[in-house]
């Protein structure tokens, strides 16, 4: 482990640092806090390609005008249980936070409520938003696509149509909860970019080049003509990931009426959120009885490798989150390096958030 990788940071100080940097770049104070909290929560949960690793890119988007600095979403359709917003390219984490504020009372009243957002900016780590579903006794579904770009080919093809198209689900258990955060592709653009920058390759052939030849080298995504990421299931069963990608594009671009058929506008997202109130169906107690039972069957399952017991999705992230909140956050070494030019311009220092040795 490098010295830089061993550095620990105070979560609250990281939020303050990120919030200050976003405001220096022009983001409204009312929005900067939501974005900063979401990014730091991503690192707390262990999703270090979708935490503060995104901060430098967000700041550059603010400075270039790619991300809207202030304002409100436009309400395009508003029925009691179904709402459509134009996000006006406002910061995604703030839009999701506002959307959940709007959806939760509707789901309490109606049982289920859904929001689709077209023209959001990037929404960061999907698992973070599941934390609130656990707190509110909700079952939450969240899907996201970026119609402005493409890096995943349909199964059997060689030309990109989709983005990784993440899909997330969260719900409480009697103790803890489940946080599912997966994508329709085997790996993500964020991890591919990180490995390419470090001169690394993947452990397996999770990509294909422009001629359809399998590769473990993320460089193929940047070649001309470019290769693509493989869908979940890879070369033998990629129809599964292909179906997931279609599902996400349907829930996002299809329901939004805005997506890949429209001119690209830059880094962004189309978002689908649905909240189900547990008490509107069989009731919270009945839900927990069922899902606690399933969870226990999973956790007590005889593992293939005794050293690797079966875990629930999000279990390690929730444990790690509590540990990092108490002991300090470990950031990927590439994050500090990416932020240095911005710090010099705006007079801030990530080092100020370091946890002081006892």
């Amino acid at each position: 482990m490098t010295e830089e990788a061993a550095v620990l940071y105070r979560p609250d100080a990281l939020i303050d640092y990120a919030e200050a940097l976003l405001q220096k770049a022009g983001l409204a104070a009312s929005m900067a806090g939501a974005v900063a909290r979401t990014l730091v929560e991503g690192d707390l949960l262990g999703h270090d390609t979708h935490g503060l690793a995104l901060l430098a890119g967000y700041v550059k988007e603010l400075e270039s005008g790619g991300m809207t600095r202030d304002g409100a979403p436009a309400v395009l359709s508003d029925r009691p249980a179904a709402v459509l917003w134009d996000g006006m390219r406002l910061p995604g984490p703030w839009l999701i936070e506002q959307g959940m504020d709007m959806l939760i009372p509707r789901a309490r009243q109606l049982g289920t409520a859904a929001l689709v957002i077209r023209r959001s900016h990037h929404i960061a780590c999907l698992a973070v938003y599941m934390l609130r579903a656990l707190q509110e006794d909700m079952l939450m579904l969240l899907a996201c696509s970026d119609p402005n770009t493409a890096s995943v080919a349909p199964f059997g093809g060689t030309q990109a149509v989709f983005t990784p198209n993440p899909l997330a689900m969260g719900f409480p258990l009697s103790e803890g909860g489940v946080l599912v955060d997966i994508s329709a592709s085997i790996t993500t653009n964020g991890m591919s970019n990180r490995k390419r920058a470090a001169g690394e390759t993947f452990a397996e052939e999770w990509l294909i080049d422009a001629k359809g030849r399998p590769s473990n080298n993320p460089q193929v995504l940047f070649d001309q003509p470019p290769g693509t990421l493989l869908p979940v299931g890879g070369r033998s069963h990629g129809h599964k990931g292909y179906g997931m990608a279609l599902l996400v594009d349907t829930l996002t671009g299809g329901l939004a009426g805005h997506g890949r058929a429209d001119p690209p506008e830059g880094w962004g997202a189309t978002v689908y959120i649905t909240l189900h109130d547990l008490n509107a169906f069989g009731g919270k107690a009945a839900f927990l009885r069922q899902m606690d039972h399933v969870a226990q069957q999973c956790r007590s399952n005889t593992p293939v490798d005794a050293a690797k017991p079966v875990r629930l999705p999000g279990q390690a992230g929730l444990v790690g989150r509590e540990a990092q909140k108490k002991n300090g956050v470990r950031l990927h070494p590439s994050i500090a390096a990416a932020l240095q030019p911005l710090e010099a311009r705006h007079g801030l220092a990530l080092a100020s958030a370091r946890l002081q040795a006892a």
Side-chain angles (χ1 to χ4, degrees), residues 148-172:
N148 303 294
T149 187
S151 56
V152 184
F155 182 58
T158 59
Q159 295 174 306
V161 172
F162 305 102
T163 39
N165 282 16
L167 180 65
M169 174 181 68
F171 59 83

Side-chain angles (χ1 to χ4, degrees), residues 155-226:
F155 182 58
T158 59
Q159 295 174 306
V161 172
F162 305 102
T163 39
N165 282 16
L167 180 65
M169 174 181 68
F171 59 83
L173 298 170
S174 292
E175 295 184 8
V178 170
L179 312 177
V180 175
D181 185 348
I182 56 177
S183 66
S185 58
I186 295 180
T187 189
T188 64
N189 292 320
M191 185 58 72
S192 299
N193 292 337
R194 175 177 290 178
K195 285 190 171 293
R196 177 176 178 257
E200 298 173 353
T201 57
F202 288 106
E204 299 181 39
E205 294 172 332
W206 291 344
L207 309 93
I208 54 173
D209 66 15
K211 294 185 178 180
R213 295 173 298 202
S215 175
N216 66 350
N217 191 346
Q219 176 58 41
V220 301
L221 296 176
F222 301 87
D223 291 340
Q224 294 300 323

Side-chain angles (χ1 to χ4, degrees), residues 233-249:
R235 288 178 292 147
S236 62
H237 289 77
H239 60 282
K240 299 179 184 292
Y242 179 22
M244 289 173 60
L246 280 169
L247 170 64
V248 171
D249 254 48

Side-chain angles (χ1 to χ4, degrees), residues 233-277:
R235 288 178 292 147
S236 62
H237 289 77
H239 60 282
K240 299 179 184 292
Y242 179 22
M244 289 173 60
L246 280 169
L247 170 64
V248 171
D249 254 48
T250 304
L251 293 173
T252 56
L255 290 180
H258 182 91
R260 302 190 186 281
D262 299 291
E265 296 182 277
W267 189 22
T270 306
V271 186
Y272 164 90
I273 309 169
T274 294
L275 292 177
H276 301 284
D277 183 359

Side-chain angles (χ1 to χ4, degrees), residues 100 126-142 167-173 176-182 274-278 287 291 313-314 318:
M100 293 188 73
L126 275 64
V128 169
Y129 307 111
M130 304 301 112
L131 295 170
R132 190 165 176 193
L134 272 57
Q135 297 166 358
E136 300 284 351
D137 289 335
M138 296 276 180
L139 166 62
M140 179 176 179
L141 301 176
L142 173 61
L167 180 65
M169 174 181 68
F171 59 83
L173 298 170
V178 170
L179 312 177
V180 175
D181 185 348
I182 56 177
T274 294
L275 292 177
H276 301 284
D277 183 359
L278 304 184
F287 180 92
M291 300 318 298
L318 289 170

